[in-house]
Amino acid sequence: MSQPTPSSGPNGERPTPDGSTPLSTRPAGSPATQARIHPPRGTVNPPPAHTALICVALPGLAISSDQGQLTGQGLEGFYRSGLRMLSRCRLRVAGREPLAVQARMIAADQARFMATLSLTADGGPDPGVTVERLRHADGTERITLHNASPRPLRLPVEVALGTDLAELAAVASGRAGPELPASVHDSGLRWTSPTGHCVVIAEPPPSDALASAGLLRWELELPPGGTRTLELKVRPTGAGPMRTVARSATNPLAPAGAAGDDPRVHPLLRTSIEDLQALLVRDPDHPSDTHLAAGVPWRCGLAPADALAAARMALPLGTRLAAGTLHTLARAHITDESSRSGPIPGPRRHVGTHLPPSCTGQEATLLYPVVLAEARRWGLPEQEIEKLLPTAERCLKWLRSAAGAGTYLPDPHPGGPWRCETQAHAHRAAVLGADLLDAYGRSGGAELRQWAGELRSAFRRDFWIESGAGGRPAAARLPDGRLVPHLGASTVHLLDTGLLGAGEHAPGLLDKTQTEQLARLLGGPAMDSGWGLRSLGAREPGYNPFGHRSGAVRVHETAVAVAGLAAAGCKEEAGSLLRGVLSAAESFGYRLPEMYAGEQRATGAGPVPHPTACRPAATAAAAGVLLITALAGVRPDAPARTVTLRPFEGAPLGEIELTGLRIAGAPFSVRVSRLGLAMVEEAADGLQLGV
């Protein structure tokens, strides 16, 4: 299998062929960064995605405006495998376009559009015809006309079709070409280009097909109260119906449910699972292995760090997604014996004005053994672990090699900074990796633990900035010893220490006092927007409420903060962030985008969308699962046949019941009372409640 292609797009990630990151260590605020920046010639804004209705069932997409008509503008169209199969689909009834009255998502892969048409000569208020369009990500559209008038109707219906067969990247950058000429094909139309072929098949067949205008025509007779339905199927030439992972036996996600005093928990968990299923991609060479695409519409490929992070947060839904992701990345892993052996490739990511871009390949390499270790706790079968263990060992070997004789893990490029979150990822990988190696009698565990202990001691001294307000962790330490002091959401990874045996969290890089101070900072008005956690504090230089790493609310980081703060006993801060992101989820119809603006919450206003955020996004959808399941604090240890419950202190959402989770492949259900007491309602035989 070939290596996964790094994704790129408006989120600021740039591909590098080997996962390395060319970095500049010039401090923020230097003359070069203060210079006026002129946009390069030819720069175009990407088409807005925040107002689009996006139906997803990869490899299929259908992107529409709220008007229902596909006009060929912006991102509109049916896509398959990144190619726009159809860009224009305009409906006219009796010579006019129906009036759009409603557009809504009815499932992750399906949207419903309602329109009306008045046929009375006197222009009365009551429409005589209603038009429903059901648009599906698999390339199917059903158009149903209903005669609401008291007389029979004979309606001429036209559908104007067109396409450019353009790649999604070309559409996003404004480089899509002109529409292609059509030809008549059976009961529809056909288009051909060097990049692909497409047919639209109509049922019932049209009475007339005009290739030069891309037009299909029908004459429909509707009795009073009668309906007629037209179906259009958009397909690559020769392709059959699209088979998605979510609707097959290989769907790795359990259909868990949530109920409770807060009515929002049910739709958030349901929609999060639907969005995860919509983003599932099957490895074509190994169909039993699935992983998550990073997000729609910009990042439909495999982004290793995002795929691993999302699979980890989705472990309460079963271990099969984690296993498929780990197997897929293992086959693409760099295994040569050179000095660069070990890292998983990944693009670099912009992180704002304070630091040079970071390397997502480094993050993925550190996540790999963590996901495997925690999947083992959730019940990943032994035979799967033994197949994946060599790759985890290579990742851990790379960690020790990259850190060398030093205490900290630097960026891949020589002279790069020591980032706070990188040390958190490295420390977690070392501690959980050592536990994993010991469990299977592999060498190296003791060395990793010793290095992690030295890192803890040094970090608490070298990365903590003392102040009269209690201090804060530095965002990074430069090679010359200077600290980068800005406060951002990347510090939440210090709270995410990982799960060990017997329901215990691993030790963290901060001591108890420092953890409590970080909690106060994260819960303060500079970081808590009221809708979630800002990626950069509102009082920091360079703050931009729309900056994807410099002020916007990133759902993944907020969920990690909520879970980490709850585990540390910081219930007030955790509860505030949880309620904020739940309110944001409600405003977004429970399909959480990867990010939204960090504008302060105001009475009567909703969160401000980010125009280029992926929605759905793998990490945001999985974050919805983490937010809900964190309320019960389920900490399994499948090898020891135990599960420990540490519910959210204070029960901030009242009573909640979670059903259909998975531990060791068996259903697991738990109820948390309004008093914060957890009770197991369903579990596998032999699974004991830990202390």
Side-chain angles (χ1 to χ4, degrees), residues 298 313 339 462 478 538 606 670:
W298 314 112
M313 290 187 284
S339 60
D462 295 343
L478 300 178
V670 59

Side-chain angles (χ1 to χ4, degrees), residues 375-595:
R376 173 175 175 259
R377 297 295 173 192
W378 282 91
L380 185 65
E382 293 289 323
Q383 62 270 27
E384 295 282 345
I385 298 172
E386 291 180 358
K387 292 178 184 176
L388 296 164
L389 193 56
T391 303
E393 285 184 289
R394 286 194 291 271
C395 291
L396 294 169
K397 180 181 177 182
W398 172 85
L399 166 60
R400 290 301 296 121
S401 173
T407 305
Y408 301 115
L409 181 64
D411 275 11
H413 191 273
W418 298 323
R419 300 175 194 266
C420 170
E421 71 269 28
T422 299
Q423 310 318 310
H425 294 323
H427 179 266
R428 183 180 59 207
V431 175
L432 269 64
D435 188 59
L436 184 66
L437 295 177
D438 288 353
Y440 288 88
R442 306 296 181 98
S443 62
E447 182 185 4
L448 284 167
R449 276 197 196 85
Q450 180 180 352
W451 179 78
E454 294 169 355
L455 176 60
R456 275 196 303 276
S457 299
F459 187 92
R460 294 172 184 180
R461 178 187 67 246
D462 295 343
F463 269 77
W464 193 259
I465 303 172
E466 296 290 352
S467 70
R472 62 167 63 179
R477 187 178 179 89
L478 300 178
D480 61 8
R482 286 178 297 155
L483 297 178
V484 180
H486 72 272
L487 178 64
S490 60
T491 55
V492 303
H493 298 291
L494 295 169
L495 303 171
D496 181 15
T497 61
L499 184 65
L500 292 174
E504 294 296 325
H505 276 189
L509 286 177
L510 300 181
D511 61 28
K512 186 175 185 297
T513 301
Q514 291 171 335
T515 298
E516 292 172 349
Q517 172 62 9
L518 177 58
R520 285 190 287 271
L521 293 170
L522 296 178
M527 290 297 295
D528 185 352
S529 71
W531 301 113
L533 196 68
R534 294 184 177 95
S535 52
L536 182 67
R539 300 190 186 105
E540 301 296 328
Y543 167 72
N544 173 4
F546 286 92
H548 76 285
R549 300 279 170 177
S550 56
V553 173
R554 298 186 65 83
V555 176
H556 173 204
E557 290 169 337
T558 300
V560 170
V562 168
L565 290 167
C570 305
K571 62 178 183 179
E572 298 298 332
E573 296 85 358
S576 176
L577 290 171
L578 172 64
R579 288 186 288 269
V581 77
L582 270 176
S583 296
E586 185 178 21
S587 179
F588 285 113
Y590 299 101
R591 171 177 270 188
L592 281 164
E594 64 172 329
M595 59 183 168

